[in-house]
Structures are given as structure tokens and as C-alpha cells.
């Protein structure tokens, strides 16, 4: 099991360089925040549309299939299961809905011609709160809406963030965030220190996956008989593995800190490295114009009534 290949979450794709790689990291960060914030107070149509846009962006960018196939497949499967479970779950209203007309229509007086027309129009436009009800399975409008909310927010939050990390180098991310945070220097906030900490955190993600992978392989190669251990014995084994994982990660962090101190990185303000020259180009302005159009469409058709 290779976690770095089968589950490359938070890893940067160096090759091939797609058009998403070439967009300014600040513009991509604005797009990421738009995906995460436009979801608030949006209707179900807009939530589903966000999922479709993310899938189309991945396909149009021509990201290799081996990179996104398993991630997108697992996320879509998870979202589908959440949709199915939430749709058939109780909607939380706790109200028994009954039809407006009585079951025995003969008790009603004979309606006039005008009343006949009104009843015919009402029968053509019937409203049903319960969309599907067969045996114990019951799907209502509210349960379906809640299911769409839960399933789409899982896919949107996880995949949009992963797509941003996949097409943006850690140095570009920190440079872009540091550029956007420059006005906070007036409030004496350590902007450079925050950017450096974020860079180290992003660089530490592959190390964490590598340590988890090595410990998992070490447990598998020992051919432990889990049935003989029982629940208590298995819990002790995994607690030992978790303790070892924490020790290895702390050791890696200490080695990284010593390496920086040896190279003289005692203060980020004194040893600043300019990784990228952030300048907006033609493709960036096109992405900004598309972002404005994105929010215009959101306000026009995506607002929840």
C-alpha cells in the first residue's frame, strides 16, 4: 500500500504543467475562497453546479487521470452514500402530513362550474411533500434537500482544496498569502513568520504520509494474528504504533529545525528567499473576470429562496 501514490492528498503535481499551474496563486486562492463561501445560503441547484464545475475544471485542465481518478472516485462514492443515507433518514420535522381534501369526497356539496375549474387546476398542479414512500423507505423534500447539502459540501470542500494544492506549489501558496496579508503589517502582525510556518507545514505533509506508510508496512510484515489478540490486544498494538508515529514526527521536526538553524535561518526577516515574482498576467486578469462572472451567476440563480 503506497499512500503517497494511492492517496496523494496535499501533494503538488510538478509535471505536467497545466494552465491551472500557470495562474497566479493569489487568483487561485480567491477562486478557492469563492468555492468555499459561495456555498453559504445557496440553493440545491448551485451546490450541485459547484460539483460539476470542479469536475469539468479537472478534465479541461488535462490533469493526468492517474492523479485524480482514485481521489475523485472515492469522494464521489462517499458523497453518494451520504446522499442515499441522508435522503431516507428522518427529516427532523416530526409532523404527520395529511391531504387537504377529506378521504370521502361525497360529503362535499356539489360544486359549481367555477369550482370545478379551480379543482381541475389544483389537481393538475399537485404538491406532495413526500416524494417517495414505500415500506420503511420514505424520502421527503426536506430530507432530500439535507442530503444534497451534506453530500455536495463534502465533495466541494475536500476536492476544491485538494485541487488547489495539486496545482500550486507550497512556495507559491505562502508567497501569495504573504502578499495578501501585507496590509496586516500595520497592526504589527508577524506576516513573514506566519508564511514561513505555513511553508513548513505544507512541506511536512509528505513526511507524515511517509511515516504512516512505513509503520503500516511494519505492522503488516509481522503477520499478527488479530483474532488471538482480541480487542484489548489490538488496541494496545495500535496505541504503540500511534506512539511510535508521534515520536518519528517529532524527530523529523527537530531535524528540520536543526537544519534551518545550521543554515542561519534564525529570523525570517533576515533570511528571506523570494521564491516567485508575483505579477498578474493576461491569463490572471481573465481568471479574475471569470470570477466576477461566477459571483454574478451566484447572486442571480444561486441564492436560496
Amino acid at each position: 500500500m503506497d499512500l503517497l501514490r494511492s492517496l496523494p492528498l496535499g501533494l503538488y503535481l510538478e509535471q505536467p504543467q497545466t494552465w491551472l499551474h500557470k495562474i497566479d496563486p493569489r487568483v487561485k486562492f480567491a477562486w478557492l475562497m469563492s468555492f468555499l463561501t459561495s456555498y453559504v445560503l445557496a440553493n440545491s441547484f448551485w451546490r450541485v453546479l459547484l460539483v460539476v464545475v470542479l469536475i469539468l475544471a479537472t478534465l479541461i485542465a488535462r490533469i493526468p487521470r492517474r492523479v485524480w481518478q482514485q481521489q475523485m472516485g472515492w469522494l464521489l462514492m462517499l458523497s453518494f452514500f451520504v446522499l442515499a443515507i441522508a435522503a431516507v433518514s428522518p427529516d427532523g420535522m416530526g409532523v404527520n402530513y395529511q391531504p387537504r381534501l377529506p378521504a370521502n369526497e361525497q360529503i362535499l356539496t356539489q360544486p359549481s362550474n367555477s369550482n370545478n375549474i379551480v379543482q381541475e387546476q389544483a389537481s393538475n398542479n399537485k404538491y406532495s411533500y413526500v416524494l417517495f414512500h414505500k415500506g420503511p423507505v420514505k424520502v421527503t423534500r426536506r430530507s432530500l434537500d439535507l442530503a444534497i447539502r451534506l453530500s455536495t459540501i463534502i465533495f466541494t470542500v475536500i476536492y476544491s482544496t485538494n485541487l488547489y494544492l495539486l496545482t500550486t506549489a507550497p512556495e507559491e501558496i505562502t508567497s501569495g498569502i504573504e502578499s495578501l496579508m501585507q496590509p496586516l503589517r500595520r497592526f504589527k502582525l508577524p506576516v513573514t513568520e506566519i508564511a514561513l510556518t505555513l511553508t513548513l507545514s505544507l512541506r511536512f505533509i509528505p513526511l507524515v504520509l511517509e511515516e504512516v506508510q512505513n509503520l503500516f508496512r511494519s505492522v503488516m510484515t509481522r503477520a499478527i494474528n488479530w483474532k488471538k489478540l482480541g480487542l484489548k490486544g489490538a488496541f494496545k498494538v495500535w496505541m504503540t504504533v500511534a506512539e511510535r508515529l508521534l515520536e518519528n514526527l517529532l524527530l523529523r521536526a527537530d531535524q528540520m529545525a536543526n537544519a534551518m538553524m545550521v543554515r542561519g535561518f534564525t529570523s525570517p526577516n533576515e533570511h528571506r528567499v523570494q521564491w516567485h515574482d508575483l505579477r498578474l498576467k493576461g491569463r490572471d486578469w481573465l481568471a479574475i473576470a471569470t470570477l466576477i462572472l461566477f459571483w454574478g451567476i451566484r447572486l442571480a440563480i444561486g441564492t436560496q429562496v
Side-chain angles (χ1 to χ4, degrees), residues 191-248:
V191 175
T192 307
E193 286 82 350
I194 295 175
L196 178 61
T197 304
L198 181 59
T199 304
L200 297 177
S201 301
L202 293 174
R203 284 299 185 185
F204 208 70
I205 293 177
L207 299 179
V208 175
L209 292 178
E210 184 180 354
E211 290 295 336
V212 173
Q213 173 183 285
N214 293 336
L215 289 175
F216 184 80
R217 287 176 175 174
S218 66
V219 173
M220 296 299 295
T221 53
R222 283 167 173 78
I224 300 175
N225 192 340
W226 299 101
K227 293 183 179 180
K228 291 184 178 181
L229 287 178
L231 183 61
K232 186 176 181 180
F235 180 75
K236 290 182 178 180
V237 171
W238 287 114
M239 285 298 297
T240 304
V241 172
E243 182 180 356
R244 185 60 181 175
L245 174 62
L246 182 60
E247 292 178 359
N248 293 345

Side-chain angles (χ1 to χ4, degrees), residues 12-133:
Y12 173 62
L13 178 65
E14 296 183 0
Q15 295 294 335
Q17 290 286 322
T18 64
W19 58 270
L20 282 177
H21 289 74
K22 300 177 182 179
I23 297 179
D24 190 278
R26 295 169 295 181
V27 179
K28 284 189 284 188
F29 185 76
W31 268 100
L32 175 62
M33 291 296 103
S34 297
F35 273 106
L36 298 180
T37 57
S38 65
Y39 192 90
V40 181
L41 299 178
N43 53 32
S44 299
F45 174 76
W46 180 259
R47 296 186 176 101
V48 177
L49 185 61
L50 289 179
V51 175
V52 175
V53 169
L54 287 173
I55 297 176
L56 290 179
T58 305
L59 298 177
I60 295 175
R62 295 183 178 180
I63 297 175
R65 186 177 179 180
R66 58 179 174 81
V67 177
W68 56 263
Q69 182 178 11
Q70 193 164 7
Q71 301 176 36
M72 188 183 296
W74 281 108
L75 277 177
L76 288 175
M77 186 180 299
L78 175 63
S79 300
F80 175 77
F81 281 131
V82 171
L83 177 67
I85 294 173
V88 299
S89 300
D91 55 11
M93 297 297 290
V95 179
N96 294 325
Y97 294 90
Q98 298 178 354
R100 297 179 180 179
L101 296 177
N104 187 7
E105 298 183 357
Q106 296 180 356
I107 63 175
L108 298 177
T109 57
Q110 185 68 24
S112 59
N113 294 333
S114 60
N115 292 334
N116 284 330
I117 297 176
V118 173
Q119 286 189 357
E120 290 178 0
Q121 293 178 352
S123 61
N124 294 331
N125 300 321
K126 289 184 178 180
Y127 173 83
S128 178
Y129 181 77
V130 179
L131 300 177
F132 179 81
H133 191 194

Side-chain angles (χ1 to χ4, degrees), residues 36 64 119 136 149 155 170 188 192 206 222 257 281 288:
L36 298 180
Q119 286 189 357
R149 290 185 184 182
F155 185 89
K188 297 182 179 181
T192 307
R222 283 167 173 78
K281 300 179 181 179
I288 293 174

